[in-house]
Amino acid sequence: SPWNPLFQAMESEISAAFGSGEPEDVLSRAFKLTVTREDICTLQPLGWLNDRIMNFYMGLLVERSKKEGYPAVYAFNTFFYSKLSSTSHKGVKKWTKGVDIFEHDVILVPIHLRVHWTLLVVDLREKTIKYFDSLGQKGDHICETVLKYLEEESREKRKIELTASEWTLHSMGTEEIPQQNNGSDCGVFVCKFADFISRDKPIIFTPEHMPYFRRKMVWEIIHQQLL
């Protein structure tokens, strides 16, 4: 209930984050990232989420996945796919230095397509690569690019050949996942797709949840803790 003192305290904290103060004020630090008031303000209604907010939120999801009962999650940062697609495996080889991505259950790849955020999800348990776009565009070529990357990464890091024919690649259809009803919520959709998937939960939210999710994300980022 709105009269719950805890809820009121959270609300006033969120409003304060959007409110007075300098754009460069640091409101949170973790995952080698610094989030300023200016970054947090992209979570205001109809704001465009920036790379820092996206990467910080992916960091929170990875952190949570280390707890008992969650699938093990690896998240690439938002610059990974553009680098991979403009170079090749060679161009991103060092990104996984000291990490075996194949020891995880789920790999999240947030993707920035110039003016739109989408998400690619690799499920290593199911051998699936799925593409989530809240504007309903297909990303079959993106799935193929990432499968090729996985083949090369596996060959190089583990000396194991992946069998491409065992993998299922799929762009989620507009009837399978919720779609945005404005031009600015794509980043929030990506964060929430990733949130639900990293808990093995069905994606049941709607565009109506976006204003609430935005405010909740402000609190979670400031406190470095998912509710």
Side-chain angles (χ1 to χ4, degrees):
S1 129
W3 306 113
N4 175 329
L6 180 65
F7 180 86
Q8 280 180 307
M10 290 166 81
E11 273 298 321
S12 56
E13 232 180 319
I14 294 160
S15 299
F18 288 149
S20 56
E22 298 305 316
E24 62 276 10
D25 291 345
V26 173
L27 300 188
S28 197
R29 253 199 200 98
F31 321 119
K32 298 183 182 152
L33 291 167
T34 302
V35 173
T36 65
R37 189 180 309 280
E38 188 174 14
D39 299 321
I40 284 286
C41 283
T42 67
L43 283 161
Q44 285 178 309
L46 303 183
W48 288 68
L49 271 55
N50 67 12
D51 289 285
R52 255 185 226 161
I53 294 293
M54 300 295 285
N55 288 322
F56 201 98
Y57 196 79
M58 294 296 146
L60 291 174
L61 296 178
V62 168
E63 209 47 47
R64 178 179 67 190
S65 83
K66 295 172 184 169
K67 292 184 188 159
E68 193 65 45
Y70 288 94
V73 174
Y74 184 83
F76 279 106
N77 88 24
T78 52
F79 305 105
F80 169 77
Y81 182 77
S82 52
K83 181 76 171 166
L84 172 67
S85 58
S86 65
T87 56
S88 66
H89 181 265
K90 275 190 208 68
V92 291
K93 203 165 70 171
K94 293 204 176 88
W95 292 47
T96 51
K97 196 168 185 264
V99 178
D100 181 355
I101 59 173
F102 298 97
E103 283 177 355
H104 298 79
D105 298 316
V106 174
I107 300 171
L108 303 171
V109 187
I111 294 172
H112 200 198
L113 303 168
R114 289 193 297 282
V115 292
H116 183 48
W117 288 109
T118 64
L119 179 71
L120 183 135
V121 178
V122 179
D123 191 321
L124 290 157
R125 302 163 296 184
E126 309 276 341
K127 294 190 178 168
T128 60
I129 299 177
K130 290 181 181 170
Y131 183 71
F132 293 76
D133 186 335
S134 53
L135 285 178
Q137 295 157 336
K138 295 273 173 248
D140 300 347
H141 62 291
I142 296 177
C143 294
E144 284 155 20
T145 302
V146 170
L147 178 58
K148 191 161 179 277
Y149 165 80
L150 292 172
E151 290 179 79
E152 292 175 24
E153 181 78 357
S154 179
R155 193 176 298 135
E156 191 139 315
K157 294 278 173 77
R158 311 187 299 167
K159 310 286 180 270
I160 295 174
E161 289 292 331
L162 288 191
T163 312
S165 59
E166 292 176 356
W167 285 75
T168 307
L169 280 49
H170 176 63
S171 291
M172 303 296 277
T174 52
E175 67 298 330
E176 294 178 279
I177 53 170
Q179 300 289 294
Q180 67 192 88
N181 56 9
N182 59 33
S184 51
D185 277 340
C186 53
V188 187
F189 270 85
V190 164
C191 289
K192 297 320 284 187
F193 287 148
D195 169 28
F196 279 65
I197 290 160
S198 63
R199 291 181 285 146
D200 280 335
K201 294 287 183 240
I203 292 166
I204 49 165
F205 59 83
T206 70
E208 283 63 51
H209 289 100
M210 292 299 131
Y212 162 70
F213 284 156
R214 282 174 176 273
R215 293 184 79 77
K216 183 171 163 215
M217 284 172 71
V218 172
W219 192 94
E220 291 173 327
I221 289 169
I222 291 173
H223 289 270
Q224 298 162 25
Q225 176 195 344
L226 293 170
L227 290 167

